[in-house]
Amino acid sequence: MTCPDCGDRVDHCHGTLVLHADDVEVTAECIDPACDAPELASHTLVVGCGELGCPACATARTRAA
């Protein structure tokens, strides 16, 4: 099976984009170490850090409470 975006040379990433949200801003990171553009438009799979149990975001939420 081949990726249609790869065949069409569309800028995209096969990794998952994780969104970290705190009281000030939302930051994004891709789990694919080769990804150099963690932008929403380049990813088809996007999850919130809460869905992954992100310890850094849980700590930030505890401090804010």
Side-chain angles (χ1 to χ4, degrees), residues 55-65:
C57 292
T59 302
R61 282 190 295 270
T62 301
R63 283 193 310 255

Side-chain angles (χ1 to χ4, degrees), residues 3-56:
C3 172
D5 285 341
C6 288
D8 292 339
R9 298 177 192 228
V10 173
D11 182 29
H12 69 289
C13 178
H14 294 165
T16 301
L17 190 68
V18 180
L19 300 178
H20 300 278
D22 60 26
D23 292 337
V24 179
E25 65 181 339
V26 175
T27 57
E29 70 175 324
C30 181
I31 63 169
D32 182 350
C35 181
D36 58 358
E39 299 167 353
L40 187 60
S42 299
H43 293 81
T44 55
L45 184 55
V46 179
V47 298
C49 64
E51 297 174 62
L52 302 175
C54 176

